[in-house]
């Protein structure tokens, strides 16, 4: 593949076709000479002086009608890497803008592509390439052209280098060229890569194409004549020519669609270029009126442009002898975009002031995917790994193949299987976050509905709503996934902070209630010492536990302040749970297993006496209260009860007991009762009698002191024997 090797003069002539400003021409000459001087004495592997590479790059750039700064940067793109010129020197000699461009191109160039053996490494490199390029589309264009010339001269590299560079070109650069719509470069890069990666197949297909070339050429020429005369008759302006598919696209179709060479439909291809959009449809009408179109093959990319801005009408018709032709119909402008994409759209126009930032913005608006691409490239933190990043690009940028529309007709490209939520996040983050419903083609649909090409999608939003975790199960774009995850994480953090505040308040209140200095004990170091006792390992979890009441603030308080009070209920619980049972006497003649110095009191409600069945109730902050086990007051709090026992080594002491006696009223009743009590050697603390005049009964309340249950039972039996006594009972308060 021999190419014309332009010199500096050729570049200047090409540039002067559209650049006329003397200052700009001077800049180009200065850049050309600067490059020639700095690269003097350097040679390409081909043996050519190095400047040949630079004039080639600059020349291709000039044919693309890029601006003078970009051509100058094309001349200079290797001086940092190969001549030791620094960014600052270049900025001083030319401008900051040119120095930045060259530096970015250099960065991309020094990343070595290692091939597919180490996917993670490869992905990491690709990511760096994208990041370096995403900042300024001119960097991509220079890099693509640089790569194009290197591919054209790849035969001088070693075979290993050839394979590595070709693989990288096919994996990275051709897809980028495709997405930017620069199909002229894309096709050439693909075919050159194909040649070096699969020489055998390349020549095989080239041979097949060649074999029937004259037969096909005849058919195409006949069709061109027929269509031409038809259009002339109808006075429609046009250019028409046959075109050949590039080899790699034929190969790809044979492989991916499992077709034999002769089955590949659009080998006979014709392109018609006309003046206006209306002309395109007119031409289509005439062609369909004359030739039978194959159903389902008509594509209107004028009404619905591809996301790389490509516009054209495609149809496939059956000509004479049943030969099949693919026909493309488009305007000159559309054709320029089809060939050069982004580069054509932003062709240099003299007199308009170039603004790199404005252009970048415009590109991002025109090419929605480019915006995402740039966002992905910048935001490294959102990606777990380089390979995930590549998978994202692959899915969201390079393999977008569902095209849906906003109600205003803006085309949004999404990966296969994408849902309204993916669409919503593509429109705007806030639209995604507040999406509550989706209307697809005028019908309300669930948010997880799979979208199809041509769907018109509208998102219903509602303020103050947020994404649901469920969305993560069905979204297809990483953009949506990341936005949802970030939102949920932020929400969780906020909730955590709220929990921490709640927990802190609960603990502070508890400390205050107990009269401790809140500041002193809310100290993180002090708190750290008690985490372990609650099976948490950090402040956040600890406060969360307090907030949701899985950690008891009272116990925390005790631990924190190191209280050794006798009425330590936590200690009781702990020891009971741990089944530690050292027995200790209490002054009341009671034993509580496991408790050392424990405040213990007799419950006033039921006043148990020695010998009663009893139970210990762990009170809140007032030690253990000993109740009769039948006391109604403890029946509902069994979880706070512990076993207590009377000490068999009976202490010499008395127990209070309250009795109530009901009797028919009569004279000397009270005297008889008091006599019986004293006969039983029981001390009376108080007596209180009341007469109920209606029932003619008397109720006597009696407080006594007894040694034990036996004495009390004996007393009660004797009172019961007193004349007119109806019953006697121990009081329950
Ligand atoms: Mn280069």
């Amino acid at each position: 593949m021999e190419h014309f090797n332009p010199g500096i003069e050729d570049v200047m002539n090409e540039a002067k076709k559209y650049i006329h400003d003397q200052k700009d021409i001077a800049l180009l000459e200065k850049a050309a000479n600067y490059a020639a001087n700095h690269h003097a004495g350097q040679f390409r592997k081909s043996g050519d002086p190095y400047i040949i590479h630079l004039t080639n790059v600059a020349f291709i750039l000039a044919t693309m009608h890029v601006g003078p700064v970009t051509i100058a940067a094309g001349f200079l793109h290797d001086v940092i890497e190969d001549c030791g010129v620094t960014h600052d020197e270049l900025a001083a000699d030319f401008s900051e803008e040119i120095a930045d461009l060259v530096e970015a191109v250099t960065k991309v160039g020094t990343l070595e592509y290692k091939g597919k053996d180490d996917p993670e490494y490869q992905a990491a490199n690709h990511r760096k390439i994208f990041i370096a390029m995403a900042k300024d589309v001119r960097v991509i264009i220079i890099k693509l052209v640089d790569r194009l010339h290197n591919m054209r001269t790849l035969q001088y590299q070693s075979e290993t280098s050839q394979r590595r560079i070709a693989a990288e070109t096919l994996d990275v650069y051709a897809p980028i060229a495709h997405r930017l719509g620069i199909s002229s470069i894309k096709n050439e890069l693909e075919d050159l890569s194909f040649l070096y990666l699969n020489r055998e197949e390349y020549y095989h297909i080239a041979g097949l194409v060649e074999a029937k070339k004259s037969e096909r050429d005849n058919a195409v020429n006949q069709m061109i004549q027929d269509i031409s005369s038809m259009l002339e008759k109808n006075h429609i302006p046009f250019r028409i020519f046959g075109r050949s598919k590039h080899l790699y696209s034929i190969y790809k179709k044979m492989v991916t669609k499992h077709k034999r060479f002769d089955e590949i439909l659009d080998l006979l291809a014709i392109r018609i270029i006309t003046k206006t959009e209306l002309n395109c449809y007119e031409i289509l009408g005439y062609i369909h009126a004359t030739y039978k179109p194959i159903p389902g093959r008509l594509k209107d990319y004028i009404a619905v442009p591809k996301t790389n801005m490509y516009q054209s009408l495609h149809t496939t018709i059956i000509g004479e002898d049943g030969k099949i032709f693919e026909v493309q119909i488009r305007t000159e402008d559309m054709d320029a975009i089809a060939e050069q994409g982004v580069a054509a759209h932003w062709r240099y126009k003299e007199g308009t002031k170039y603004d790199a930032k404005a252009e970048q913005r415009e590109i991002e608006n025109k090419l929605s995917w480019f915006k995402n691409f740039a966002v992905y490239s910048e935001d490294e933190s959102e990606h777990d790994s380089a390979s995930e990043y590549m998978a994202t690009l692959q899915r969201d940028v390079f393999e977008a193949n569902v095209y849906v529309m906003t109600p205003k007709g803006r085309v949004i490209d999404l990966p296969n299987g994408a849902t309204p939520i993916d669409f919503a996040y593509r429109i705007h983050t806030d639209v995604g976050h507040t999406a509550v419903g989706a209307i697809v083609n005028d019908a309300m649909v669930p948010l997880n509905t799979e979208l199809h090409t041509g769907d018109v999608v509208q998102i219903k939003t509602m303020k103050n709503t947020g994404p649901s975790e469920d969305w993560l199960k069905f979204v297809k774009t990483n953009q949506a996934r990341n936005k949802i995850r970030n939102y949920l994480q932020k929400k969780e953090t906020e909730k955590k902070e709220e929990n921490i505040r709640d927990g802190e308040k609960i603990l502070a209140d508890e400390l205050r209630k107990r009269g401790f200095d809140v500041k002193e004990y809310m100290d993180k170091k002090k708190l750290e010492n008690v985490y372990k006792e609650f099976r948490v390992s950090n402040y956040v979890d600890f406060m969360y536990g307090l907030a949701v009441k899985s950690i008891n603030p009272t116990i925390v308080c005790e631990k924190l302040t190191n209280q050794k009070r006798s009425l330590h209920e936590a200690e009781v619980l702990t020891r009971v749970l741990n089944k530690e049972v050292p027995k200790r006497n209490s002054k009341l003649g009671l034993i509580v297993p496991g408790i050392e110095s424990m405040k213990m009191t007799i419950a006033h409600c039921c006043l148990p006496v020695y010998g009663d069945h009893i139970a210990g109730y762990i009170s809140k902050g007032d030690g253990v209260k000993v109740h009769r086990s039948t006391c109604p007051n403890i029946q509902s709090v069994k979880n706070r009860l512990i076993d207590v026992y009377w000490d068999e080594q009976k202490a010499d002491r008395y127990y209070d007991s309250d009795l109530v006696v009901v009797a028919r009223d009569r004279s000397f009743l009270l005297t008889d009762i008091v006599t019986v009590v004293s006969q039983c050697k029981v001390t009376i603390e108080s007596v209180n009698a009341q007469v109920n005049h209606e029932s003619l009964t008397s109720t006597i309340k009696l407080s006594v002191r007894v040694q034990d249950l036996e004495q009390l039972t004996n007393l009660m039996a004797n009172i019961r024997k007193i004349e007119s006594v109806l019953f006697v009972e121990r009081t329950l308060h």
Side-chain angles (χ1 to χ4, degrees):
M1 271 177 271
E2 279 307 308
H3 277 269
F4 154 67
N5 264 333
I8 293 178
E9 266 317 294
D10 300 306
V11 179
M12 295 312 296
N13 290 335
E14 191 65 30
K16 281 173 188 165
K17 287 181 184 168
Y18 67 101
I19 297 172
H20 305 95
D21 191 313
Q22 265 327 106
K23 259 192 248 157
D24 291 336
I25 298 293
L27 168 68
L28 295 186
E29 271 165 357
K30 185 181 168 192
N33 292 327
Y34 192 97
N37 289 336
H38 278 84
H39 289 286
Q42 296 176 1
F43 294 91
R44 299 273 286 174
K45 288 231 164 91
S46 61
D48 289 328
Y50 200 87
I51 188 71
I52 296 275
H53 171 59
L54 306 165
T55 51
N56 267 286
V57 169
F59 185 82
I60 300 168
L61 287 169
T63 61
M64 294 167 80
H65 287 219
V66 301
V69 168
T70 314
I71 301 179
F75 270 125
L76 299 168
H77 81 266
D78 280 330
V79 295
I80 290 183
E81 194 186 351
D82 295 339
C83 311
V85 176
T86 66
H87 170 276
D88 292 352
E89 285 165 6
L90 205 54
D93 290 337
F94 288 90
S95 66
E96 198 69 35
E97 187 182 13
I98 286 179
D100 286 349
L101 281 174
V102 172
E103 189 179 56
V105 172
T106 306
K107 263 190 197 153
V108 178
T110 51
L111 299 164
E112 206 185 329
Y113 180 78
K114 292 284 183 184
K116 309 216 179 212
D117 300 343
D118 181 353
E120 187 67 22
Y121 190 88
Q122 175 197 357
N125 268 345
H126 284 191
R127 181 180 178 179
K128 285 183 198 151
I129 293 174
F130 288 120
I131 290 168
M133 291 196 299
K135 297 201 169 117
D136 191 329
V137 76
R138 293 176 299 175
V139 174
I140 307 186
I141 291 173
I142 295 169
K143 196 61 212 171
L144 284 174
V145 171
D146 175 42
R147 176 53 58 108
L148 179 60
H149 186 247
N150 287 336
M151 284 301 291
R152 283 178 182 174
T153 54
L154 201 61
Q155 71 263 40
Y156 303 107
Q157 298 284 340
S158 70
E159 213 182 303
T160 327
S161 295
Q162 285 177 353
R163 294 193 66 83
R164 173 176 59 78
I165 295 169
E168 185 185 40
T169 301
L170 198 60
D171 290 347
V172 182
Y173 290 98
I176 291 174
H178 174 59
R179 289 295 278 175
L180 288 169
I182 312 174
S183 58
S184 57
I185 291 182
K186 181 208 108 187
N187 291 347
E188 195 177 340
L189 288 178
E190 281 185 347
D191 273 0
L192 286 165
S193 305
F194 182 32
L195 169 65
Y196 289 103
L197 289 172
N198 196 342
R199 220 170 263 275
E200 207 170 292
E201 274 301 316
Y202 179 92
Y203 285 120
H204 173 64
I205 290 174
L208 290 171
V209 170
E210 198 54 34
K212 297 199 169 176
K213 191 171 186 299
S214 62
E215 189 188 318
R216 279 202 319 278
D217 282 354
N218 288 339
V220 167
N221 286 336
Q222 186 58 52
M223 184 54 99
I224 285 177
Q225 273 179 27
D226 294 349
I227 292 177
S228 294
S229 56
M230 177 175 76
L231 295 180
E232 273 160 18
K233 229 186 286 167
N234 290 288
H235 310 289
I236 297 175
F238 70 94
R239 287 195 289 132
I240 186 167
F241 45 90
R243 63 188 179 88
S244 51
K245 288 227 139 221
H246 69 295
L247 299 180
Y248 185 67
S249 73
I250 296 169
Y251 170 71
K252 230 170 38 182
K253 267 195 184 157
M254 290 167 72
V255 172
T256 59
K257 299 195 175 162
H258 304 289
K259 288 195 170 168
R260 290 196 322 276
F261 179 73
D262 53 9
E263 286 177 306
I264 293 171
L265 280 181
D266 33 23
L267 279 178
L268 298 178
I270 284 172
R271 184 174 300 157
I272 305 168
I273 313 289
T274 186
K275 226 172 163 177
T276 66
E277 216 175 85
L278 190 61
N279 291 150
C280 294
Y281 291 103
E282 282 178 311
I283 293 170
L284 180 73
Y286 286 121
I287 288 175
H288 279 185
T290 313
Y291 302 97
K292 191 173 162 37
I294 294 180
R297 297 274 297 175
L298 171 64
K299 303 246 170 64
D300 186 351
Y301 295 118
I302 291 178
V304 184
K306 289 190 185 179
T307 45
N308 62 12
M309 301 186 300
Y310 177 91
Q311 286 189 294
S312 190
L313 294 176
H314 290 188
T315 186
T316 304
I317 55 171
I318 303 170
E320 270 171 56
D321 312 329
K323 287 204 165 63
I324 291 165
F325 293 83
E326 196 204 53
V327 184
Q328 298 178 341
I329 309 162
R330 57 207 192 204
T331 66
E332 293 285 357
D333 284 351
M334 293 175 194
D335 194 49
I337 297 258
E339 291 297 312
Q340 298 199 350
V342 163
H345 196 270
W346 283 276
R347 274 179 175 224
Y348 181 70
K349 290 172 211 78
E350 282 197 311
T352 51
K353 204 170 177 300
Y354 180 83
D355 177 350
K357 275 196 184 131
E359 182 179 275
Q360 190 73 9
R361 258 200 314 278
E362 198 186 344
I363 288 174
E364 286 173 7
N365 284 337
K366 287 269 177 197
L367 300 169
S368 63
W369 67 268
F370 193 84
K371 191 173 180 177
N372 300 324
F373 170 66
V375 168
Y376 293 147
S377 301
E378 256 168 37
D379 199 350
E380 298 186 39
S381 63
E382 288 191 10
H383 301 280
D384 299 344
S385 67
S387 20
E388 190 180 315
Y389 169 81
M390 279 312 290
T392 301
L393 273 187
Q394 208 70 31
R395 194 164 57 241
D396 291 7
V397 178
F398 293 138
E399 285 173 8
N401 32 21
V402 175
Y403 301 95
V404 299
M405 274 179 285
T406 67
K408 284 183 181 162
R410 188 175 141 210
V411 178
I412 304 288
D413 61 327
L414 292 166
N416 270 327
T419 64
I421 292 297
D422 294 294
F423 174 88
Y425 278 102
R426 202 44 83 72
I427 300 295
H428 195 279
T429 303
D430 287 340
V431 176
H433 282 348
T434 57
V436 290
I439 296 170
V440 173
N441 306 326
D442 295 328
M444 195 83 182
V445 299
L447 289 170
N448 62 356
T449 305
E450 197 173 304
L451 295 175
H452 300 286
T453 294
D455 283 348
V456 178
V457 185
Q458 202 179 346
I459 298 296
K460 292 280 161 212
T461 59
M462 193 187 284
K463 273 190 183 164
N464 300 323
T465 57
S468 141
E469 207 171 338
D470 290 343
W471 293 1
L472 291 172
K473 289 180 199 144
F474 59 73
V475 292
K476 284 290 181 297
T477 55
N478 255 47
Q479 185 190 19
R481 182 166 293 112
N482 285 333
K483 300 274 186 200
I484 295 166
R485 269 196 209 141
N486 286 348
Y487 181 96
L488 293 175
Q489 264 163 23
K490 210 175 131 219
K491 263 275 127 89
E492 201 177 298
T493 310
E494 281 171 16
K495 214 175 113 197
K496 245 187 199 157
E497 282 164 4
E498 207 182 297
N499 283 328
I500 290 173
R501 282 195 302 276
D502 288 352
E504 283 170 342
K505 187 177 179 300
I506 287 170
L507 185 55
D509 285 351
E510 187 71 26
L511 284 163
R512 212 171 287 122
K513 201 170 87 189
R514 289 161 172 266
F516 290 107
D517 181 5
V518 174
K519 269 212 184 111
E520 187 192 336
Y521 288 105
M522 288 298 280
D523 175 70
K524 287 206 179 184
K525 270 259 146 32
K526 282 199 173 120
L527 287 168
E528 241 169 58
N529 295 330
V530 301
Y531 291 166
K532 232 188 269 162
E533 320 229 10
F534 301 92
R535 288 166 202 228
V536 298
S537 55
N538 59 65
Y539 187 76
V540 173
D541 290 351
F542 188 66
M543 288 304 160
Y544 178 79
L546 280 163
V548 303
K549 304 201 163 58
S550 70
I551 292 177
N552 184 335
T554 311
I555 301 176
V556 175
C557 235
E558 311 263 339
K559 300 254 182 220
L560 205 53
T561 56
N562 242 334
Q563 282 183 85
K564 281 284 179 192
R565 292 191 300 165
S566 59
L567 50 117
H568 194 304
E569 61 179 292
E571 197 181 357
V572 175
L573 284 172
T574 312
R575 285 173 182 276
V576 169
L577 285 172
N578 291 347
K579 299 202 159 74
E580 295 174 22
V581 283
K583 294 188 177 184
R584 297 279 165 156
N585 284 354
S586 106
K587 291 168 202 158
L588 293 173
L590 286 159
I591 298 167
V592 182
I595 311 304
E596 241 165 291
S597 47
M598 160 67 60
K599 180 179 174 186
M600 239 188 290
T601 43
I602 296 288
H604 292 296
C605 53
C606 56
L607 290 173
V609 301
Y610 191 95
D612 270 324
H613 280 293
I614 46 173
Y617 170 75
I618 302 156
S619 72
K620 287 191 178 150
D622 197 19
V624 174
K625 304 271 183 194
V626 179
H627 291 255
R628 280 192 265 153
S629 53
T630 52
C631 176
N633 293 340
I634 58 166
Q635 301 309 313
S636 60
V637 288
K638 297 240 152 114
N639 57 333
R640 298 186 70 94
L641 296 182
I642 56 168
D643 290 336
V644 287
Y645 308 100
W646 299 110
D647 193 344
E648 278 170 35
Q649 244 102 76
K650 186 179 164 189
D652 184 27
R653 64 158 292 155
Y654 292 87
Y655 299 88
D656 288 322
S657 185
D658 288 348
L659 300 174
V660 60
V661 181
V662 178
R664 275 191 308 274
D665 195 29
R666 63 168 173 91
S667 307
F668 307 112
L669 173 66
L670 208 54
T671 315
D672 289 348
I673 291 173
V674 170
T675 306
V676 168
V677 172
S678 63
Q679 279 170 355
C680 292
K681 297 189 166 68
V682 169
T683 318
I684 295 181
E685 290 286 321
S686 69
V687 181
N688 176 298
Q690 249 181 344
V691 177
N692 185 336
H693 295 284
E694 266 175 46
S695 61
L696 294 173
T697 57
S698 199
T699 304
I700 298 109
K701 287 184 179 167
L702 201 57
S703 287
V704 296
R705 308 190 80 188
V706 296
Q707 276 183 302
D708 53 28
L709 183 62
E710 197 186 342
Q711 195 182 22
L712 181 62
T713 313
N714 181 48
L715 172 66
M716 287 167 74
N718 282 299
I719 292 174
R720 224 168 261 130
K721 287 179 194 156
I722 296 171
E723 193 202 328
S724 88
V725 166
L726 299 171
F727 66 83
V728 55
E729 267 179 9
R730 292 173 73 178
T731 311
L732 283 169
H733 295 285

